[in-house]
């Protein structure tokens, strides 16, 4: 969140929270952080805006390209201890155990995208902030889908929007939500804990990114490994 020219709350986008020991991070898409440059940024704590602070890194668009052609599109913010402590009362920070990276993360047949649609995050009067989360579970993108986008399933993740029924995280029938605003939210895979234990455990594998203009039949995300690499390079932590 930020403030508009009238000092009214303005929704910027979704994000995902990670924890490695005592270090806490907010990760989101670079195009979401672009909206926050040179502005104060906030999160919702107990229904009101609380200032968010930290230091981080944002990917640059490809040489000669723009953010619209940036398929890395990720950023992270190393939160201050004060901000992390304030957020822990209302939000969950995913730990390494709750993440999946590498080849194992590319084996799921279904993924869930979670975020806050912009149309459900608008202030309901001055000071009334109750954004509504939405989730969407669908079948994974095919090799043909990745070929159309010239991407690899090892760097990106996605679902087909027209390949079967859509459900939410609880597997209830769902309609396609408004996608503006969900960028930066978590992408989960449904991981079988063990052969002897058929319980399916959701694992964090990426960030919601976009519905590509050149292939609008899919919803695309960037895999978590790319974001973790930036954190490892700078802080030598986050080896999941």
């Amino acid at each position: 969140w930020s403030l508009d020219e009238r000092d009214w709350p303005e929704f910027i986008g979704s994000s995902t929270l990670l924890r490695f020991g005592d270090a806490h991070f907010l990760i989101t898409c670079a195009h979401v952080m672009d909206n926050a440059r040179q502005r104060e940024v906030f999160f919702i704590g107990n229904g009101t805006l609380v200032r968010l602070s930290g230091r981080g890194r944002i990917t640059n668009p490809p040489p000669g390209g723009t953010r619209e052609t940036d398929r890395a599109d990720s950023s992270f913010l190393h939160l201050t201890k004060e901000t992390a402590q304030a957020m822990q009362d209302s939000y969950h920070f995913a730990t390494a155990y709750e993440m999946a990276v590498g080849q194992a993360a590319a084996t799921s047949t279904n993924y869930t995208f979670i975020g806050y649609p912009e149309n459900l995050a608008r202030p309901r009067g001055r000071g009334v902030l109750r954004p509504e989360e939405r989730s969407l579970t669908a079948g994974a993108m095919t090799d043909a889908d990745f070929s159309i986008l010239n991407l690899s399933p090892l760097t990106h993740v996605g679902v087909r929007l027209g390949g079967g029924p859509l459900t939410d995280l609880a597997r209830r029938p769902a309609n396609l939500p408004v996608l503006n605003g969900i960028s930066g939210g978590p992408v989960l895979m449904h991981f079988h804990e063990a052969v002897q234990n058929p319980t399916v455990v959701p694992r964090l594998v990426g960030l919601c990114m976009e519905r590509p203009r050149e292939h609008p039949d899919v919803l695309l995300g960037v895999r978590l490994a790319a974001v973790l690499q930036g954190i490892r390079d700078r802080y030598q932590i986050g080896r999941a």
Side-chain angles (χ1 to χ4, degrees):
W1 292 79
S2 189
L3 298 175
D4 64 16
E5 63 278 0
R6 301 169 300 166
D7 284 339
W8 275 62
E10 180 180 24
F11 184 66
I12 295 176
S14 301
S15 63
T16 302
L17 301 172
L18 311 179
R19 177 173 66 84
F20 302 104
D22 294 331
H24 296 77
F25 295 85
L26 179 150
I27 62 175
T28 189
C29 290
H31 73 262
V32 173
M33 291 303 291
D34 285 342
N35 294 328
R37 288 178 185 259
Q38 310 303 319
R39 305 169 71 183
E40 287 190 305
V41 182
F42 303 84
F43 66 93
I44 296 178
N46 296 321
T48 61
L49 293 182
V50 181
R51 185 173 285 102
L52 189 153
S53 60
R55 297 177 65 86
R57 180 176 295 177
I58 186 170
T59 58
N60 294 316
T66 65
R67 187 63 77 196
E68 290 185 356
T69 61
D70 178 15
R71 288 290 162 75
D73 197 15
S74 61
S75 64
F76 67 85
L77 193 66
H78 185 197
L79 301 173
T80 63
K81 289 184 179 181
E82 294 76 14
T83 294
Q85 289 172 355
M87 298 185 80
Q88 287 183 84
D89 291 338
S90 303
Y91 302 96
H92 176 71
F93 285 81
T95 63
Y97 176 75
E98 298 170 283
M99 306 174 200
V101 297
Q103 184 65 44
T107 59
S108 183
T109 56
N110 291 279
Y111 293 94
T112 299
F113 283 62
I114 303 174
Y116 291 93
E118 189 274 337
N119 65 314
L120 298 177
R122 294 170 185 154
R124 304 176 187 184
R126 201 176 219 6
V128 181
L129 300 173
R130 297 194 187 98
E132 296 181 22
E133 181 184 272
R134 289 291 183 269
S135 60
L136 175 69
T137 301
M141 283 171 52
T142 65
D143 290 341
D145 294 320
F146 282 105
S147 180
I148 290 172
L149 295 171
N150 195 29
L151 295 174
S152 165
L154 294 180
T155 58
H156 291 78
V157 59
V159 293
R160 305 204 86 255
L161 299 178
L166 303 177
T167 63
D168 63 13
L169 184 58
R171 300 302 178 122
R172 297 170 299 202
N175 295 318
L176 182 67
V178 171
L179 300 179
N180 289 344
I182 72 168
S183 296
V187 179
L188 307 180
M189 69 174 283
H190 304 282
F191 177 80
H192 287 270
E193 190 67 54
V195 175
Q196 297 83 4
N197 180 2
T199 301
V200 177
V201 178
R203 293 287 179 89
L204 177 65
V205 295
L207 298 178
C208 308
M209 196 165 70
E210 64 175 346
R211 187 177 189 179
R213 291 182 180 178
E214 66 270 40
H215 192 18
D217 293 333
V218 303
L219 183 57
L220 185 67
V222 60
R223 285 204 176 270
L224 187 62
V227 188
L228 292 182
Q229 185 63 53
I231 293 175
R232 285 197 296 266
D233 290 346
R234 186 156 182 174
Y235 297 100
Q236 301 302 307
I237 59 176
R239 297 185 181 275

